[in-house]
Amino acid sequence: MKKKVLLMGASGSGKTSMRSMIFSNNPASLTSRLGATIDVEQNHVRFLGDLILNLWDCGGQDAFMDSYLSTQRSVIFSHVGVMIYVFDVESREMEKDLEYYRDCLEGLSQFSKNANVFLLVHKVDLVREAERNTVVERKVEELEKASGETPVKVFSTSIYDESLYKAWSNIVNTLIPNARNLSKHLRIFAEACNATEVILFERTTFLVIATSSHADSSDAFPSDPVALHALDPKRYERTSELIKAFKQSCSRLREEFRSLEMELAEFTAVLDEMTKNTYVLVVVHDPVIETAAIRMNICMARKKFEELQGDSLVSEK
Amino acid sequence: MSSSPQNYSAVANSHTNGTIRRTKILLLGTRRSGKTSLFQVLFNGFPLKQAFYLEPTMRVAKHLVDTVIPLEIWDCPGNITVDTLGASLADFATIVFVIDIRDLYQQPVSKLVEFIVAACQVNPDINFEVFVHKAERLQEDDKLENFRQIHERVMDRLIDESPEFEQFPLNFHLTSIYDHSLREAFSLVLHKLIESLPYLEDLLNVFCANTASPKAFLFDTSSKIHVATDTSPVDQATHNLCCDYLSMLNSFGPLYRSNAINDPRTSRDSPATTPPPTATPLSPASGSVSASPGVPLASPPKPPFFPCAATSLSPSHPGTTLTYHLVTPHLALLALLPTTVYEVRRGLVEWNVVWFREGVREIWEVEKERSAGEVV
Ligand SMILES: Nc1nc2c(ncn2[C@@H]2O[C@H](COP(=O)(O)OP(=O)(O)OP(=O)(O)O)[C@@H](O)[C@H]2O)c(=O)[nH]1
Ligand SMILES: Nc1nc2c(ncn2[C@@H]2O[C@H](COP(=O)(O)OP(=O)(O)OP(=O)(O)O)[C@@H](O)[C@H]2O)c(=O)[nH]1
Ligand SMILES: [Mg+2]
Ligand SMILES: [Mg+2]
């Protein structure tokens, strides 16, 4: 199954940077060497095995934008699953950015009515921390207004912290059919392990694809162990960030990261391969449970999850 | 190492718990060379971006740092001189002089030479370490060229002062807060100050021999400075990987900490409160112990808990596992092990960790007595 993802936004807003970090494991420090993208760079990334993301990284210089909106219009805006529009938080040409953005929305409504739209207020690291919240709030308001009737999801992001992973996890989640079913089975698995939480990551990007906790407000499920332990709300994206960074360190030594087990003062956890395309993190707070037992449980769950993953991808065509 | 009575009283004044003798390190260098940044990054886990906004240091800041030995580190303003320091150079075990690698002018060199000459008169045993800092700013070729030039200028100026300085043991390090070179350099500085270093190295050597480990470090967990390593050469890439591994583990801890009121884990004993049970040292020769982890020592009902972790690398054979075992509240043993040893002979590994931990604890006690004893 293929899903087309459009990456749009003004030149220099950071599209290629985030793509190279999420999908090619490049460190943030190397993004400054990227040149402007000429026309459209298409990339096929295999995500979860059978799902193929067809990324269209669209160079944002005016001449290219004009051509996307005119001569290339039907090619660009047809069959789009998701459009991600990136706005540089410090853009000096917000009026122009918004104009192009509205034109793109129009293109979408013409050729891909059901596409999901995500807006990223990017490079927020450039705003002083004290002012960040107000600046972002103002931007969000501005962008929602510019979007009119189109439902959009806005995230503030930076390549220098975990916010990028949060936004992208949310984006890919809309592309995974049956993510809810995965979540249900993770919950059963968590119970079997006596785990507080189980988190499933895609193997190459380490984006979160499903968790055992209820996605909705935790108040609705007071018996949910995660709610009980009141875990850090940023843990998913921080975990993606930490593991990605460690994978980079390993590759510098020409080693490849494979698995991790921790018995720390705060918790016990195992991070290991679940299926060919996923990694699972099992977090336990019960001090009696040892990593060996968790490993055994993961081993026994593998087959089931291979099947589930196969099913979920085939079921929706 | 020098330690005079005045020295002790100076410490007591700056710190209420003045009963221990701290080894003093002086951080010198011209304005904006990076002294405060490097201290903060090493010992206060300063985010790098914040270092960018540091104010100039106006007065000497005396920082107490507790690692394997108690340290007192003085961060000085850039314009300080021997006379305005307000202490005798005899009080310091080591002087770290920081020079911005792009600063090829006379000023830092003159200042360094001035301090060397003054220090040698009162304290011939003092260690001088030059950090050629902000090295990441230059490309590889320029970096080495500037490093060489700074080295040469300092030595030329010293010999101008007196030919006797030709043999002066001055150590130069390339450092940067943006990579682990700073930690590696500071480790080497620290090693010269740890009297029990040979014993720690012996323990690490034995651990490596018993577990077929190619490399093991004893790390200070929060600063990520290694306090000792076995005597095989340190490969920079391996050292960096260990630092990154520690960073990751340090970050993971609080991330999944339970904030529940009655978290079952909080009731469990941590090494900070319970001393480990006494272990009978394992003779290095007996490599056939394969008992299940922890069994021989666990004295019911509550065995003391020591955090540990392991990450397995390279799926291909033979494969390496990087292990982490906390041995004191602040020190951790990091070792590269063949994955086969870790998986098949886990008991052997655990047993050697227990034995290692016990050894470190004994040395630690001696060090504590030493720093407490010398003041009485
Ligand atoms: N401060 C900061 N800089 C960023 C961030 N993301 C990207 N950048 C920088 O922005 C610059 C431009 O990034 P690109 O990814 O090439 O921009 P682009 O959107 O692909 O530009 P075009 O290809 O011309 O459309 C690079 O120098 C990046 O290092 C961020 O989150 N914070
Ligand atoms: N590129 C680079 N910059 C650094 C490094 N270390 C420190 N700096 C920068 O150098 C500047 C000065 O750093 P400080 O730590 O305040 O220097 P200082 O020696 O304490 O300065 P004074 O207290 O005024 O004597 C800051 O902007 C730091 O961000 C480094 O390794 N690389
Ligand atoms: Mg680009
Ligand atoms: Mg300073």
Side-chain angles (χ1 to χ4, degrees), chain B residues 352-369:
Chain B
N352 275 282
V353 169
V354 169
W355 177 80
F356 178 82
R357 182 180 290 138
E358 186 54 23
V360 170
R361 203 177 63 91
E362 275 169 23
I363 292 170
W364 200 37
E365 295 291 325
V366 173
E367 283 283 1
K368 257 200 335 225
E369 255 166 54

Side-chain angles (χ1 to χ4, degrees), chain A residues 72-291:
Chain A
Q72 291 178 276
R73 194 173 179 93
S74 66
V75 182
I76 297 278
F77 294 103
S78 298
H79 310 294
V80 177
V82 167
M83 176 171 84
I84 302 165
Y85 210 101
V86 184
F87 296 88
D88 183 334
V89 71
E90 300 229 299
S91 167
R92 305 240 176 82
E93 299 181 298
M94 201 53 190
E95 272 315 303
K96 190 177 88 185
D97 295 351
L98 286 177
E99 202 169 308
Y100 274 129
Y101 166 59
R102 281 191 219 101
D103 291 344
C104 286
L105 279 187
E106 218 179 278
L108 268 190
S109 70
Q110 194 179 348
F111 293 97
S112 305
K113 274 201 170 38
N114 296 322
N116 287 310
V117 180
F118 288 90
L119 309 181
L120 306 184
V121 178
H122 191 54
K123 306 196 187 181
V124 288
D125 57 284
L126 296 175
V127 183
R128 280 214 171 222
E129 218 158 330
E131 301 154 35
R132 206 169 288 167
N133 277 344
T134 18
V135 169
V136 169
E137 265 169 41
R138 215 169 41 232
K139 284 275 172 195
V140 171
E141 209 172 297
E142 191 178 6
L143 292 176
E144 280 175 345
K145 205 169 121 216
S147 311
E149 300 285 275
T150 317
V152 294
K153 258 193 171 170
V154 193
F155 289 94
S156 66
T157 52
S158 161
I159 56 171
Y160 296 106
D161 64 30
E162 73 282 351
S163 57
L164 190 65
Y165 297 98
K166 176 174 183 168
W168 278 84
S169 280
N170 268 278
I171 293 168
V172 296
N173 254 288
T174 60
L175 298 173
I176 303 166
N178 256 343
R180 257 174 195 278
N181 195 28
L182 271 178
S183 199
K184 193 183 90 196
H185 281 88
L186 284 179
R187 219 150 26 234
I188 298 170
F189 178 56
E191 246 166 67
C193 298
N194 209 354
T196 307
E197 187 167 36
V198 174
I199 305 166
L200 200 62
F201 298 90
E202 198 275 332
R203 185 190 186 105
T204 42
T205 58
F206 255 91
L207 294 173
V208 175
I209 46 183
T211 75
S212 65
S213 15
H214 296 271
D216 329 296
S217 97
S218 43
D219 298 345
F221 301 92
S223 62
D224 196 40
V226 172
L228 220 61
H229 286 283
L231 298 184
D232 187 331
K234 282 191 177 162
R235 64 193 177 284
Y236 302 140
E237 52 267 25
R238 284 280 290 139
T239 303
S240 301
E241 191 195 14
L242 287 171
I243 299 292
K244 285 277 267 207
F246 188 63
K247 280 178 78 170
Q248 270 164 26
S249 326
C250 292
S251 64
R252 262 177 245 127
L253 217 87
R254 284 194 205 81
E255 294 278 10
E256 196 185 319
F257 170 78
R258 192 170 138 212
S259 71
L260 171 68
E261 54 183 55
M262 299 176 275
E263 233 164 84
L264 304 183
E266 295 88 348
F267 63 89
T268 301
V270 173
L271 177 68
D272 204 351
E273 210 175 69
M274 183 60 130
T275 64
K276 276 197 300 294
N277 311 299
T278 59
Y279 262 75
V280 71
L281 176 69
V282 180
V283 181
V284 174
H285 286 93
D286 183 343
V288 177
I289 293 171
E290 293 186 0
T291 52

Side-chain angles (χ1 to χ4, degrees), chain A residues 15-17 35-37 41 57-60:
Chain A
K15 302 177 292 297
T16 309
S17 304
T37 306
E41 257 178 48
D57 178 357
C58 305

Side-chain angles (χ1 to χ4, degrees), chain B residues 51-78:
Chain B
F52 196 73
Y53 301 109
L54 277 175
E55 300 280 326
T57 308
M58 303 308 284
R59 287 190 302 132
V60 178
K62 302 170 187 176
H63 303 282
L64 307 182
V65 173
D66 286 296
T67 166
V68 68
I69 54 169
L71 298 175
E72 183 171 315
I73 301 179
W74 290 30
D75 176 17
C76 299

